Amino acid sequence: MWMTPKRSKMEVDEALVFRPEWTQRYLVVEPPEGDGALCLVCRRLVASTRERDVRRHYEAEHEYYERYVAEGDRAALVERLRQGDMSLSTLLTPEEKAARAGLGLCRLLALKGRGWAEGDFVHQCMEILLKEVLPEHVGVLQRINLSPEITRQRILSIDSNLRCQLFNRARQFKAYSLALDDQAFVAYENYLLVFIRGVGHDLEVQEDLLTIINLTHHFSVGALMSAILESLQRAGLSLQRMVGLTTTHTLRMIGENSGLVSYMREKAVSPNCWNVIHYSGFLHLELLSSYDIDINQIVNTISEWIVLIKTRGVRRPEFQSLLTESESEHGERINGRCLNNWLRRGKSLKLIFSLRKEIEAFLVSVGATTVHFTDKQWLCDFGFLVDVMNCLQELSEELQTSKVFAASAFDHICTFESKLNLFQRHIEEKNLTDFPAFKEVVDELKQQYKEDQKIFDPDRYQMVISRLQKDFERHFKDLRFIKKDLELFSNPFNFKPEYAPISVRVELTKLQANTSLWNEYRVKTLGQFYAGLPAESYPIIKGVAYKVASLFDSNQICEKAFSYLTRNQHTLSQPLTDEHLQALFRVATTEMVPSWDDLVRGINEANL
């Protein structure tokens, strides 16, 4: 349990109020509505009123104004910004403007997964546009270099800048968790994506890519472990602050004696470390669960149909929605693994199921086999797969909601498990109310085979549901172990003190008797409430909050990386160094903004 950690001195939380001295220090003012801080330079609202957030915005976006250091100059600068007659563009030299523009374009190319050589094409497009519309500004392009080599260097510089920001924040983490994804890649080589989620003293959540590890060069679990520890060391993090591990449920990750999780837990065992919580069901939930549900190789058969449609039925109007959906996910070219992964989603299977009559007619027209459409068991398995995968898709979408904390995510898991129990009873009773596609197939088969009383075997599908139940029980076993911690975190005022460990009862009783804290709890989000909870008065409860908040509560960042990869598979399958690949994925998945002033300064120093 986490409710009995060693007591340690906690930092006092910052007051969540605007400070007048910030106006000259960070060039912000208090907005009329009184929430947050309004930047005088870019006119954007910094939602938080913590100095750390205001300072971070200033350093990332407007550090250029540090040249105004004298008090008189600073006051004059603020006044000019208030009046709106001074902007960054008026202060930058033409070279600095060109450098910022070039960096922004390189970042955009990375976000869109475009090749290095396309920078030249963008440059040519801009040149044609300016010649026709703004001929007097064509000379500006001479200062912007988007050659392949320069584009590569700029993207590596952006990656380095973002990585430095992450490491600076990571050193302030009170607790953190790792997500290890070894199933994302569809390129020629496989990689392990390592994501980190940490929380600082103000309960601010930070999720980012920590590193990418080439599994070809780090084949053994020991080599993987060393690479991860090296990345943590570079970020200034120790295993003593690691709270959780989220992984896929491959043997490489969760093998009983030789899996990476076992190695990391063994490494983290010491008097100063917390019990590491591991759960393996968040990442690629639909994809990995589908292999247990697809008992008749349905997806492999459908994959062959889609290849035929893409090659010989591309102009048929009935398949346009299917082709559009497919191409939006993984492009026009057919990659077998991408196609297979796309078909293992509830949304995709549901669409194909709705087109099964049209697909059968198409297969007949091209002389392909249609034996599956006369196989009762195959059709029933297809309908059952569509319905269960649709439920898994709904759960996966719920788990993509970020920053709701693991307690809420675990509630979704428990709700789904209750749904599986209901499915078991209904299948046993041959009640297909919860299985619309399955019911549709059964009703059609009953019309065709009126003399056959046994259309499907309930035991066959009960076995599949039972297997899925056992998988969920195994994947989320550790979350059940800390269930009381999750309940205390999500609902501290209704948690009965007698059910809490002795070490936390005094703090919990005092918390529940505090009327002002109760009023804050009612009007604030959980994160805001715990951020303002006095650490010196409630050190154990605050410690539980740090740990629960640091657990991955969604698969959003992993899905973002997976989506980026499948959309840009052909670009990313080209020969790229591990360093460049990591840069592309960091730019594509981060929510941080590069510090443009630092990057421009680096370019200027390199040109000297």
Side-chain angles (χ1 to χ4, degrees):
M1 297 291 288
W2 285 336
M3 298 184 194
T4 55
K6 293 183 178 181
R7 288 178 177 266
S8 58
K9 186 176 180 181
M10 300 283 186
E11 296 180 26
V12 179
D13 292 329
E14 299 178 56
L16 302 180
V17 293
F18 183 88
R19 298 179 186 174
E21 60 266 26
W22 292 353
T23 298
Q24 283 202 22
R25 190 181 304 164
Y26 304 123
L27 307 180
V28 294
V29 293
E30 189 172 9
E33 59 273 17
D35 293 326
L38 182 64
C39 180
L40 288 171
V41 182
C42 61
R43 301 295 170 179
R44 290 208 314 241
L45 183 68
V46 181
S48 174
T49 48
R50 298 186 185 91
E51 183 173 9
R52 175 186 176 185
D53 298 315
V54 177
R55 182 176 65 250
R56 183 181 298 165
H57 172 80
Y58 174 76
E59 290 176 350
E61 299 285 341
H62 312 304
E63 197 177 17
Y64 181 88
Y65 289 94
E66 279 297 292
R67 62 181 62 186
Y68 294 87
V69 291
E71 186 174 345
D73 292 344
R74 201 73 176 173
L77 171 65
V78 169
E79 187 59 32
R80 292 184 65 186
L81 287 171
R82 283 181 185 274
Q83 295 173 4
D85 63 349
M86 187 177 192
S87 64
L88 183 61
S89 60
T90 63
L91 298 173
L92 295 175
T93 64
E95 290 76 15
E96 288 170 332
K97 291 178 184 178
R100 287 177 71 99
L103 286 163
L105 287 170
C106 289
R107 179 172 177 251
L108 182 62
L109 287 170
L111 283 170
K112 299 301 181 182
R114 314 310 299 181
W116 313 126
E118 295 195 32
D120 281 336
F121 175 69
V122 171
H123 195 279
Q124 293 168 16
C125 292
M126 293 171 62
E127 187 175 10
I128 292 172
L129 176 67
L130 289 178
K131 279 182 178 178
E132 297 297 329
V133 181
L134 297 168
E136 67 275 13
H137 294 291
V138 172
V140 173
L141 292 177
Q142 296 176 358
R143 300 189 182 98
I144 301 176
N145 190 341
L146 293 177
S147 66
E149 183 57 35
I150 292 297
T151 301
R152 279 196 293 266
Q153 292 176 10
R154 296 289 186 264
I155 291 175
L156 286 177
S157 298
I158 292 171
D159 171 63
S160 177
N161 182 271
L162 293 171
R163 189 170 62 248
C164 287
Q165 289 187 52
L166 173 63
F167 289 176
N168 289 335
R169 298 183 192 184
R171 293 185 181 93
Q172 308 301 319
F173 287 166
K174 292 291 186 180
Y176 72 90
S177 295
L178 297 179
L180 311 176
D181 184 0
D182 64 342
Q183 290 292 296
F185 267 76
V186 291
Y188 300 122
E189 291 186 283
N190 204 0
Y191 290 80
L192 175 69
L193 301 179
V194 182
F195 299 97
I196 188 169
R197 174 186 171 103
V199 289
H201 73 277
D202 54 1
L203 265 291
E204 182 184 10
V205 174
Q206 174 83 28
E207 281 188 16
D208 255 292
L209 177 71
L210 179 64
T211 188
I212 289 181
I213 301 172
N214 191 322
L215 294 176
T216 305
H217 302 153
H218 301 81
F219 185 76
S220 69
V221 172
L224 275 178
M225 181 73 181
S226 299
I228 292 172
L229 291 178
E230 184 182 340
S231 298
L232 289 172
Q233 188 176 11
R234 285 200 302 268
L237 292 168
S238 68
L239 289 178
Q240 294 180 3
R241 284 183 276 169
M242 186 169 72
V243 170
L245 276 174
T246 305
T247 69
T248 58
H249 42 271
T250 59
L251 286 176
R252 182 192 285 118
M253 292 291 113
I254 63 171
E256 187 172 348
N257 298 316
S258 59
L260 183 58
V261 173
S262 299
Y263 273 72
M264 294 199 72
R265 279 183 152 174
E266 184 179 341
K267 191 76 174 177
V269 172
S270 77
N272 297 320
C273 292
W274 297 319
N275 292 325
V276 175
I277 299 302
H278 169 250
Y279 44 103
S280 56
F282 269 26
L283 310 186
H284 308 293
L285 176 66
E286 290 178 88
L287 172 63
L288 296 178
S289 297
S290 69
Y291 289 98
D292 289 332
I293 306 167
D294 187 4
I295 51 179
N296 208 344
Q297 302 297 309
I298 307 290
V299 171
N300 290 342
T301 302
I302 294 175
S303 180
E304 295 172 2
W305 296 349
I306 300 300
V307 171
L308 267 177
I309 291 172
K310 279 179 168 281
T311 52
R312 301 179 65 179
V314 70
R315 296 188 182 278
R316 296 198 174 218
E318 64 268 29
F319 297 139
Q320 293 310 303
S321 60
L322 176 64
L323 293 170
T324 301
E325 179 69 24
S326 172
E327 290 170 8
S328 68
E329 289 291 328
H330 50 76
E332 296 181 6
R333 301 181 189 177
I334 300 175
N335 177 300
R337 188 173 172 187
C338 275
L339 180 60
N340 189 281
N341 290 349
W342 176 69
L343 291 173
R344 293 184 183 279
R345 295 185 177 183
K347 182 180 178 182
S348 307
L349 286 170
K350 193 173 181 179
L351 176 59
I352 291 164
F353 181 81
S354 68
L355 293 169
R356 66 191 186 282
K357 300 295 185 185
E358 290 82 354
I359 292 174
E360 182 181 11
F362 165 73
L363 293 175
V364 170
S365 70
V366 297
T369 180
T370 57
V371 64
H372 297 97
F373 291 96
T374 58
D375 185 335
K376 287 190 297 182
Q377 183 166 290
W378 192 93
L379 289 170
C380 288
D381 290 347
F382 186 17
F384 177 78
L385 176 66
V386 169
D387 289 327
V388 178
M389 289 303 299
N390 189 53
C391 294
L392 281 168
Q393 178 203 337
E394 292 173 359
L395 175 61
S396 182
E397 288 176 352
E398 289 172 336
L399 295 179
Q400 287 182 33
T401 305
S402 184
K403 298 182 181 177
V404 294
F405 302 115
S408 178
F410 186 56
D411 287 342
H412 293 313
I413 298 295
C414 292
T415 301
F416 183 77
E417 290 178 325
S418 299
K419 191 182 291 186
L420 290 178
N421 292 330
L422 183 65
F423 287 172
Q424 277 280 30
R425 292 198 301 271
H426 283 182
I427 286 289
E428 184 179 6
E429 300 165 359
K430 295 189 176 182
N431 177 2
L432 303 182
T433 306
D434 298 314
F435 303 89
F438 192 8
K439 186 176 185 302
E440 187 177 338
V441 169
V442 170
D443 289 343
E444 289 176 359
L445 291 174
K446 283 180 178 179
Q447 292 295 321
Q448 294 179 31
Y449 304 95
K450 294 182 179 179
E451 71 287 352
D452 192 346
Q453 297 298 316
K454 188 176 181 180
I455 300 296
F456 70 94
D457 180 9
D459 292 342
R460 179 180 178 85
Y461 303 108
Q462 282 184 289
M463 178 187 67
V464 176
I465 294 173
S466 177
R467 189 187 307 152
L468 197 57
Q469 287 174 312
K470 290 177 181 177
D471 284 345
F472 268 72
E473 185 177 345
R474 184 174 72 254
H475 298 329
F476 299 102
K477 179 177 65 176
D478 280 9
L479 286 181
R480 290 181 179 83
F481 177 71
I482 60 165
K483 187 175 181 180
K484 283 190 177 181
D485 300 88
L486 297 177
E487 290 173 352
L488 172 66
F489 174 82
S490 61
N491 205 351
F493 285 92
N494 288 335
F495 192 92
K496 294 183 179 180
E498 58 267 27
Y499 294 151
I502 295 174
S503 59
V504 80
R505 288 179 186 174
V506 174
E507 283 188 19
L508 189 58
T509 303
K510 183 169 66 172
L511 175 72
Q512 293 177 352
N514 192 316
T515 307
S516 61
L517 287 177
W518 162 244
N519 291 331
E520 287 183 23
Y521 174 77
R522 288 190 303 167
V523 299
K524 291 182 177 180
T525 64
L526 271 178
Q528 292 170 340
F529 171 73
Y530 281 110
L533 189 68
E536 66 277 9
S537 301
Y538 305 96
I540 297 179
I541 293 179
K542 189 92 171 186
V544 172
Y546 287 138
K547 295 167 191 172
V548 173
S550 71
L551 292 172
F552 275 88
D553 57 5
S554 77
N555 56 12
Q556 186 182 66
I557 190 168
C558 298
E559 286 296 323
K560 187 187 292 186
F562 184 64
S563 177
Y564 178 76
L565 178 61
T566 52
R567 284 199 315 269
N568 306 299
Q569 54 177 297
H570 302 293
T571 300
L572 298 175
S573 293
Q574 303 305 314
L576 291 171
T577 65
D578 294 350
E579 189 180 21
H580 280 110
L581 200 60
Q582 178 173 278
L584 291 173
F585 272 90
R586 192 184 306 281
V587 170
T589 57
T590 188
E591 292 184 357
M592 295 187 295
V593 178
S595 178
W596 301 116
D597 291 334
D598 288 345
L599 289 166
V600 170
R601 192 179 302 119
I603 292 173
N604 291 339
E605 291 173 357
N607 292 335
L608 290 178

